[in-house]
Amino acid sequence: MIDFLSTIGRRVLGLFAIAGRLALFVARALSHCFRPPFYFRNIVQQFWTIGYNSLPVVGLTAVFTGAVLALQASVGFSKLTAPSAIPMLVVVSVTRELGPVLASLMVAGRVGAAIAAELGTMRVTEQIDALETLATNPMKYLVVPRVLAGLLMMPLLVLIADVIGVMGGFVVSSFILNLNESAYLINTINYLHTRDVVSGLVKAAVFGLIITLLGCFNGYNSRGGAQGVGAATTNAVVYASVLILFFDYFLTELFLTQ
Amino acid sequence: MTNSMTQAATAPKISVKGLKKSFGRKIVLDGFDIEIAKGESLVIIGGSGSGKSVFLKCLLGLIHPDAGSILVDGAEMANGNKGARERLRRKMGMLFQGGALFDSLTVWENVAFALNEGVGRRRIARAHSREIAVEKLNSVGLPEDVADLSPAELSGGMQKRVALARAIAPTPEILLFDEPTTGLDPIMADTINNLIVSSVQTLGATAISITHDMASARKIATRIAMLYQGKIIWEGSASEVENSGNPYVDQFVHGRSEGPIQLQVRAL
């Protein structure tokens, strides 16, 4: 019984320790985002790898999300209401929820894992120590470019995902369900609200921060060779995914009560 | 502070006093003292897990010691503020055990890293820094052809040479070598030893190496110190190490499995 309690106690303390270290890391990383010097070459490079290179994954996710929404909606509505209900359902769900959340989950798998693996390998092969001995702050050189790229590229990716998602719904509704094309577009515009899009983009920026910060945190603090890097990669993706869903709920609540 | 500044001219280049560091219950450094004069080449020998690497990392300010002081040119490294630590670090160059080359950059960008990116150093044009990098590569016996390769395309020995070129590129006053010959064949190990000796002489630098390779220690060292259980248990000139009269040093130098030294089970 004592053993059992002490195990729980140790786990809880461990969790608080990790939460504390994560909070300190996040504070340090964000404060370095505002203090020079900046490594513009690295920043541009990360914009490219995190932003541009994620386009195919995000685009594919979006097109199928929009398409399946249209298909699912077609079952529930009568011939009369379908032409207006399907585009409304697609555009509202994609801009508010599915665009940011699904795109971010895909990017967490792609980018979060890559960041954790790269920084983790750099840690265990002493490359991060080498950076410090060469008078370069690894926070500024490695972490800041990735975090900035997550913060600024994720909303752009989600904006593109919104457009592609709506087009996915359009393709299914026009060519598979044979509904009127112009009615779809007009209804989409009628139900497209700035507030929905903006709330989705704010979510995207927060999720981008979560993905890159957790990737950096886990990679930066990885220990013990290949196994440590593997664990860091897994943790980066799992924690980021869970936190994305967690923050999605609270951000939604925040926007709905506004 | 002013007192230590005025003494700097006569004081040793590096002075370590009562350095202590433990990880959890494991004591790694337990009152480590050593003084290193300017231009000297000190080799610290000791078994795996005797705390050699931890000492180098304390010296670089990568690990904070629990107690004790490290004075570099009379300025405090161990407890100094961040700015002071970074200024001192700029006097040092380090050759890491595995090379620790940045695999996202080419060979010449690695060598010129401190010139291109290092904070507080005057930044120079990339074309000019490439010239300097090639010059440094030549000085460690590498042709210009390797400059545009990526580090992963080089053999272990070549990576060590590039890492050495990177360490000496900003012309540091203090050079640190972490097991410079580990994992190299005997011929390449000797080449690296020769390069270390010649680059330390060319720079007029103070060198600290840690190794368990006695052939390397004999070649590089002007002075040898033995680290055992977190303390320096013996120090003397390179020629004295063969007949030290210290049973621990004898066992280590002659590589005997029987003797007073107990095997370290847990890694550090």
Side-chain angles (χ1 to χ4, degrees):
Chain A
M1 188 62 190
I2 298 286
D3 270 3
F4 177 67
L5 286 178
S6 75
T7 310
I8 292 178
R10 233 179 299 125
R11 285 281 163 83
V12 171
L13 284 179
L15 200 67
F16 278 121
I18 291 178
R21 281 194 295 132
L22 177 63
L24 282 176
F25 183 88
V26 169
R28 264 176 75 201
L30 293 181
S31 80
H32 278 292
C33 287
F34 299 102
R35 283 183 286 156
F38 301 108
Y39 294 95
F40 290 105
R41 280 167 62 91
N42 293 26
I43 292 173
V44 172
Q45 198 188 356
Q46 290 306 322
F47 275 32
W48 185 265
T49 48
I50 291 176
Y52 183 79
N53 289 348
S54 297
L55 268 179
V57 174
V58 169
L60 276 173
T61 312
V63 76
F64 284 110
T65 307
V68 83
L69 275 174
L71 204 57
Q72 288 279 14
S74 71
V75 181
F77 296 106
S78 68
K79 259 270 180 269
L80 204 65
T81 54
S84 68
I86 292 176
M88 180 202 76
L89 190 95
V90 170
V91 75
V92 170
S93 337
V94 166
T95 53
R96 279 192 193 173
E97 269 306 310
L98 297 175
V101 172
L102 290 182
S104 299
L105 289 176
M106 298 305 285
V107 172
R110 207 192 84 84
V111 170
I115 291 176
E118 188 179 357
L119 263 56
T121 308
M122 290 187 77
R123 167 60 74 195
V124 300
T125 57
E126 297 186 306
Q127 289 181 51
I128 292 183
D129 288 339
L131 270 179
E132 290 206 46
T133 65
L134 293 166
T136 304
N137 188 330
M139 274 289 182
K140 290 188 193 299
Y141 190 79
L142 296 173
V143 175
V144 166
R146 286 167 173 79
V147 170
L148 283 181
L151 177 68
L152 299 174
M153 287 295 107
M154 208 56 226
L156 272 181
L157 282 170
V158 166
L159 198 62
I160 294 168
D162 287 350
V163 176
I164 295 177
V166 168
M167 291 322 288
F170 175 78
V171 168
V172 167
S173 135
S174 312
F175 302 112
I176 297 186
L177 306 173
N178 294 318
L179 299 171
N180 187 306
E181 290 96 340
S182 54
Y184 185 96
L185 292 178
I186 289 165
N187 279 304
T188 295
I189 290 169
N190 284 344
Y191 289 107
L192 180 69
H193 297 303
T194 314
R195 225 184 62 175
D196 293 347
V197 177
V198 169
S199 77
L201 296 186
V202 171
K203 281 180 181 178
V206 174
F207 299 162
L209 271 183
I210 290 174
I211 294 166
T212 47
L213 281 169
L214 280 164
C216 290
F217 173 76
N218 283 291
Y220 201 83
N221 293 308
S222 65
R223 292 275 176 279
Q227 203 186 8
V229 176
T233 311
T234 311
N235 287 342
V237 177
V238 172
Y239 291 157
S241 306
V242 171
L243 280 180
I244 284 171
L245 297 173
F246 180 82
F247 272 87
D248 182 47
Y249 177 82
F250 287 102
L251 287 172
T252 306
E253 199 172 71
L254 191 75
F255 286 122
L256 286 184
T257 53
Q258 286 289 299
Chain B
M1 186 65 194
T2 43
N3 189 26
S4 62
M5 291 288 268
T6 50
Q7 287 175 356
T10 51
K13 186 82 179 162
I14 300 166
S15 164
V16 182
K17 280 199 187 73
L19 203 62
K20 288 189 182 183
K21 178 73 195 176
S22 42
F23 294 106
R25 270 178 295 175
K26 170 81 196 156
I27 298 163
V28 183
L29 294 176
D30 186 18
F32 183 105
D33 302 292
I34 201 148
E35 292 201 334
I36 302 148
K38 189 173 186 304
E40 190 175 27
S41 175
L42 174 77
V43 171
I44 299 173
I45 56 173
S48 311
S50 57
K52 303 188 300 285
S53 306
V54 174
F55 166 61
L56 276 196
K57 292 199 169 156
C58 286
L59 187 53
L60 279 165
L62 298 175
I63 293 180
H64 298 285
D66 301 332
S69 83
I70 301 173
L71 296 177
V72 179
D73 287 335
E76 181 59 67
M77 184 74 193
N79 308 309
N81 64 31
K82 211 169 167 219
R85 219 166 39 234
E86 276 172 11
R87 269 195 302 282
L88 289 178
R89 204 181 273 158
R90 246 170 267 149
K91 297 181 176 179
M92 304 184 197
M94 165 102 174
L95 175 62
F96 286 88
Q97 192 177 342
L101 295 174
F102 306 125
D103 33 35
S104 57
L105 303 176
T106 63
V107 165
W108 84 262
E109 285 172 328
N110 264 285
V111 175
F113 190 87
L115 309 171
N116 286 337
E117 314 281 5
V119 181
R121 292 195 182 94
R122 198 166 45 86
R123 296 208 190 174
I124 51 177
R126 278 175 73 82
H128 184 48
S129 65
R130 191 180 191 282
E131 273 173 37
I132 296 175
V134 169
E135 192 184 301
K136 298 290 172 187
L137 285 170
N138 289 336
S139 76
V140 296
L142 290 173
E144 196 181 343
D145 313 356
V146 302
D148 293 308
L149 297 178
S150 96
E153 294 174 82
L154 301 177
S155 70
M158 294 298 152
Q159 288 186 3
K160 273 271 164 71
R161 288 192 193 204
V162 175
L164 178 61
R166 184 178 70 181
I168 62 173
T171 58
E173 296 168 29
I174 298 163
L175 273 168
L176 309 173
F177 301 101
D178 185 358
E179 313 233 345
T181 54
T182 300
L184 301 179
D185 68 73
I187 300 168
M188 183 55 86
D190 196 50
T191 315
I192 294 288
N193 288 335
N194 285 334
L195 284 172
I196 288 175
V197 172
S198 68
S199 39
V200 168
Q201 276 169 357
T202 316
L203 288 174
T206 308
I208 303 171
S209 321
I210 58 176
T211 188
H212 48 231
D213 174 3
M214 282 312 298
S216 172
R218 285 187 197 99
K219 190 131 198 174
I220 305 173
T222 58
R223 194 154 66 100
I224 294 180
M226 167 118 182
L227 180 62
Y228 180 65
Q229 291 191 337
K231 286 191 188 75
I232 295 291
I233 56 161
W234 181 86
E235 55 179 292
S237 72
S239 52
E240 286 168 352
V241 76
E242 304 296 335
N243 302 302
S244 60
N246 183 315
Y248 293 89
V249 179
D250 271 353
Q251 187 195 345
F252 190 86
V253 170
H254 301 292
R256 287 192 287 258
S257 61
E258 272 123 49
I261 299 176
Q262 289 147 16
L263 285 179
Q264 193 80 38
V265 179
R266 294 204 32 198
L268 296 177

